[in-house]
Amino acid sequence: MENKTLPHETKKVEQNVNGELTYEDKVIQKIIGIALKDIPGLLTVDGGFFSNIAEKLVNTDNVTSGISTEVGKKQVAVDLNVVVEYGRDVRDIYDQIKRVIKTEVDKMTHLDVIEINVNVVDIKTKEEYEKDSETVQDKVTDAAGTAGNYISTQAGKAKKSIDRGTENVKENLEPRVE
């Protein structure tokens, strides 16, 4: 009997292919930034003064702000600056941060997270955080809306004034007596 290979069957060919897989720091930072979004009590990963100024000028979704990484061929070390919610258990938040980072980085890259340093730079209430998170762009948009409403109101008043003046002129042009 002859051994035939059917077209839908494939032969497994073993090949040695050289090369390596590496990751830019920003890729690991992005994985971490996205993974941390759902930790209760963690208000933000904070990029420091200059980063915060830039983010207040323009709405950004820069999830890597405040995350520093050192990425090797097999291992990762992480440093974070965070703002936590007032009244929360900071140690518990730290433990959750470590668990989430280790799980997500390992799952996506198979790199071993060997160190996670978290520096708490501020503690705020949710209300303080939301107030502080308003950007300059938001303020300009709000001011433009307010100015637009003001201008619209003033234009309406001016139109009413002109209409009254027109009515007065018409009354003055009509003969008073018949």
Side-chain angles (χ1 to χ4, degrees), residues 36-47:
L36 294 178
K37 284 187 173 186
D38 295 327
I39 293 181
L42 179 63
L43 295 176
T44 188
V45 178
D46 187 34

Side-chain angles (χ1 to χ4, degrees), residues 14 17-18 24 32 37 42 44 56 63 65-66 78 92 94 105 110 115 117-118 120 130 133-134 161 166-167 172 175:
E14 300 266 339
V17 178
N18 293 326
E24 293 286 326
I32 292 168
K37 284 187 173 186
L42 179 63
T44 188
K56 285 189 186 304
V63 297
S65 178
V78 180
D92 181 53
Y94 173 60
V105 170
H110 299 277
E115 185 175 303
N117 299 304
V118 176
V120 179
E130 287 167 6
S133 294
E134 184 180 29
S161 242
T166 303
E167 288 300 315
N172 288 338

Side-chain angles (χ1 to χ4, degrees), residues 162-175:
I162 290 169
D163 289 346
R164 275 196 306 267
T166 303
E167 288 300 315
N168 288 342
V169 168
K170 284 181 183 176
E171 286 175 9
N172 288 338
L173 291 177
E174 292 177 4

Side-chain angles (χ1 to χ4, degrees), residues 63-167:
V63 297
T64 64
S65 178
I67 303 171
S68 298
T69 55
E70 188 176 327
V71 181
K73 291 182 181 180
K74 296 180 181 182
Q75 298 177 327
V76 177
V78 180
D79 295 315
L80 304 171
N81 291 323
V82 300
V83 177
V84 297
E85 185 178 352
Y86 177 80
R88 295 290 189 133
D89 182 338
V90 178
R91 172 59 73 176
D92 181 53
I93 292 169
Y94 173 60
D95 291 341
Q96 288 180 60
I97 288 170
K98 289 191 309 184
R99 187 172 39 256
V100 166
I101 289 174
K102 185 148 180 66
T103 301
E104 291 302 309
V105 170
D106 180 58
K107 181 173 72 174
M108 293 183 71
T109 66
H110 299 277
L111 294 173
D112 185 24
V113 179
I114 59 163
E115 185 175 303
I116 300 173
N117 299 304
V118 176
N119 180 34
V120 179
V121 296
D122 205 353
I123 292 180
K124 296 181 179 184
T125 64
K126 271 202 175 191
E127 294 78 23
E128 285 176 313
Y129 173 70
E130 287 167 6
K131 182 178 172 238
D132 291 348
S133 294
E134 184 180 29
T135 66
V136 172
Q137 185 175 341
D138 295 333
K139 290 177 182 176
V140 169
T141 301
D142 290 347
T146 302
N149 290 339
Y150 176 77
I151 291 168
S152 177
T153 301
Q154 294 306 319
K157 288 179 181 177
K159 183 181 181 313
K160 285 180 186 174
S161 242
I162 290 169
D163 289 346
R164 275 196 306 267
T166 303
E167 288 300 315

